[in-house]
């Protein structure tokens, strides 16, 4: 057998699989750790270990579309969500389907459902009832994806939505909010002084040529069941990906996945620079 040290051990058995299986493998969503994401994951874990505080510390992760916020949300949900056996629980709420914005009534209903594991959906539930359910479930954190949707409404409704988060992060609820959203969220939170004090903010900036990007690409390449190494982290590949994606992680990953499929379809068994350039077009096979 040829040297397969460039493929992570758990994926090496796929190298000899048929083309359809290998294509599905390269198209799978996989988690590739990198320093910024690792910091957010470890920070969430640290917040869960903290003693209850009158004003719970909160975190906003923001950036342009395609920077990996939803992938990070999914990772946090997998590690700390209701399905995980843990003493401190994380309720999660994705607003991706609320693309037209969300009123305060609807946002409150969604939050109540998330905090009570879908047992209560009445936005007018008494605070005492909600607090008892939160304590029974031992919810210590509310994880929100696409927080920007709570701002896509009238200014009055948006202020009420932010006030709900402020209320939940204060006593007696004292729930840490970890939210992911666009740059608009950072501006809104920074504008409101009390929110700004409670929320640390971390920007997911566009990627650029760096050791962090090269490490990410090398790790990502190691998940592909190819007989030959591709060298995605080499200079010519990195420069091309930055140029074509403008540093947007989602666009970069789409190019790589398409190229990986082309490599299998053409039986190249590696992503050459020419095949990487074909990755701008989704293959039909």
């Amino acid at each position: 057998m040829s040297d397969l040290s460039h493929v992570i051990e758990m994926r090496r058995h796929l190298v000899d699989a048929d083309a359809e299986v290998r294509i599905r493998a390269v198209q799978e969503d996989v988690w590739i750790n990198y320093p910024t994401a690792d910091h957010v994951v470890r920070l969430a874990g640290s917040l869960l270990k903290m003693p209850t505080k009158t004003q719970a510390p909160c975190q906003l992760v923001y950036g342009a579309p395609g920077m990996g916020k939803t992938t990070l949300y999914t990772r946090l949900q997998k590690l700390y969500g209701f399905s995980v056996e843990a003493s401190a629980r994380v309720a999660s709420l994705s607003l991706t389907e609320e693309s037209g914005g969300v009123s305060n009534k609807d946002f409150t209903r969604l939050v109540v459902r998330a905090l009570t594991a879908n047992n209560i959906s009445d936005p007018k539930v008494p605070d005492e009832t909600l607090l008892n359910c939160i304590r029974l479930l031992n919810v210590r954190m509310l994880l929100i994806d696409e927080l920007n949707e709570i701002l896509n409404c009238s200014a009055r409704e948006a202020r009420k939505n932010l006030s709900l988060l402020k209320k939940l992060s204060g006593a007696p609820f004292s729930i840490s909010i970890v939210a992911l959203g666009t740059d608009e969220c950072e501006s809104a939170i920074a504008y409101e002084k009390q929110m700004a004090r409670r929320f640390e903010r971390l920007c997911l900036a566009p990627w650029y040529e760096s050791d962090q990007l090269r490490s990410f690409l090398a790790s990502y390449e190691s998940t592909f069941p190819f007989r030959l190494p591709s060298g995605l982290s080499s200079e010519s590949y990195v420069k091309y990906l930055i140029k074509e994606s403008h540093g947007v992680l989602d666009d970069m990953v789409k190019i790589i996945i398409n190229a990986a499929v082309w490599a299998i379809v053409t039986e190249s068994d590696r992503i050459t620079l020419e095949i990487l350039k074909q990755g701008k077009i989704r293959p039909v096979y």
Side-chain angles (χ1 to χ4, degrees):
M1 180 181 289
S2 59
D3 179 18
L4 298 178
S5 59
H6 57 283
V7 183
I8 57 173
E9 188 172 357
M10 68 178 64
R11 309 273 278 188
R12 288 175 191 168
H13 69 284
L14 294 170
V15 169
D16 294 319
D18 61 38
E20 185 176 343
V21 171
R22 296 169 75 206
I23 287 172
R24 284 203 304 269
V26 301
Q27 290 176 330
E28 288 174 353
D29 289 332
V30 294
W31 172 255
I32 305 297
N33 206 17
Y34 59 95
T36 304
D38 183 62
H39 171 75
V40 175
V41 169
R42 289 188 295 107
L43 176 64
S46 297
L47 293 179
L48 288 171
K49 296 173 187 175
M50 291 178 63
T52 301
K53 302 180 74 68
T54 302
Q55 290 188 355
C58 302
Q59 179 76 44
L60 172 68
V61 180
Y62 68 96
M67 294 311 301
K69 298 183 295 295
T70 296
T71 300
L72 189 49
Y73 167 84
T74 303
R75 181 65 175 176
L76 290 168
Q77 190 180 40
K78 180 178 180 179
L79 290 174
Y80 305 121
F82 275 144
S83 61
V84 179
E85 290 296 329
S87 56
R89 314 292 289 279
V90 175
S92 55
L93 170 60
S94 174
L95 298 175
T96 53
E97 296 183 3
E98 309 296 328
S99 57
V102 55
S103 67
N104 179 249
K105 181 180 179 180
D106 287 340
F107 182 51
T108 303
R109 173 178 53 80
L110 292 169
V111 167
V112 168
R113 286 183 60 186
L115 292 174
T116 63
N118 294 322
N119 288 304
I120 304 174
S121 57
D122 182 4
K124 295 182 180 180
V125 59
D127 284 355
E128 184 178 357
T129 302
L130 179 59
L131 183 60
N132 286 339
C133 191
I134 289 171
R135 287 175 174 170
L136 181 65
L137 294 170
N138 200 21
V139 175
R140 296 289 308 282
M141 181 182 293
L142 175 61
L143 176 64
I144 305 177
D145 189 27
E146 298 290 351
L147 183 69
N148 39 287
E149 295 301 338
I150 74 169
L151 304 175
N152 292 339
C153 49
S154 69
R156 181 172 179 270
E157 291 292 288
R159 285 194 298 272
K160 289 167 70 175
N161 286 339
L162 289 172
S163 292
L164 174 59
L165 297 182
K166 188 191 325 182
K167 173 182 175 181
L168 290 172
S169 63
F173 298 100
S174 298
I175 292 174
S176 289
I177 312 292
V178 174
L180 301 100
T182 61
D183 296 349
E184 184 184 11
C185 300
E186 196 278 334
S187 300
I189 286 176
Y191 180 78
E192 216 286 331
K193 291 183 179 179
Q194 287 191 27
M195 294 289 284
R197 283 199 299 270
R198 297 185 191 190
F199 276 83
E200 288 188 7
R201 279 100 75 195
L202 177 67
C203 178
L204 294 180
W207 291 67
Y208 58 92
E209 191 172 352
S210 63
D211 289 341
Q212 183 174 156
L213 176 56
R214 283 186 281 272
S215 176
F216 175 88
L217 292 173
S219 296
Y220 194 21
E221 180 186 334
S222 71
T223 68
F224 295 154
F226 294 154
R227 290 182 178 82
L228 301 170
S230 300
L232 287 183
S233 60
S234 60
E235 184 177 3
S236 57
Y237 288 72
V238 172
K239 287 185 180 297
Y240 176 78
L241 287 168
I242 290 295
K243 175 177 173 290
E244 293 299 323
S245 68
H246 304 287
V248 176
L249 182 60
D250 186 56
D251 292 344
M252 202 180 305
V253 168
K254 285 176 181 175
I255 291 172
I256 294 170
I257 289 175
N258 287 345
V261 175
W262 279 119
I264 295 170
V265 171
T266 61
E267 299 183 356
S268 299
D269 246 329
R270 64 187 290 258
I271 300 174
T272 64
L273 186 56
E274 288 307 309
I275 289 177
L276 186 66
K277 292 177 180 179
Q278 288 182 257
K280 293 170 63 177
I281 301 172
R282 180 175 294 170
V284 177
Y285 51 91

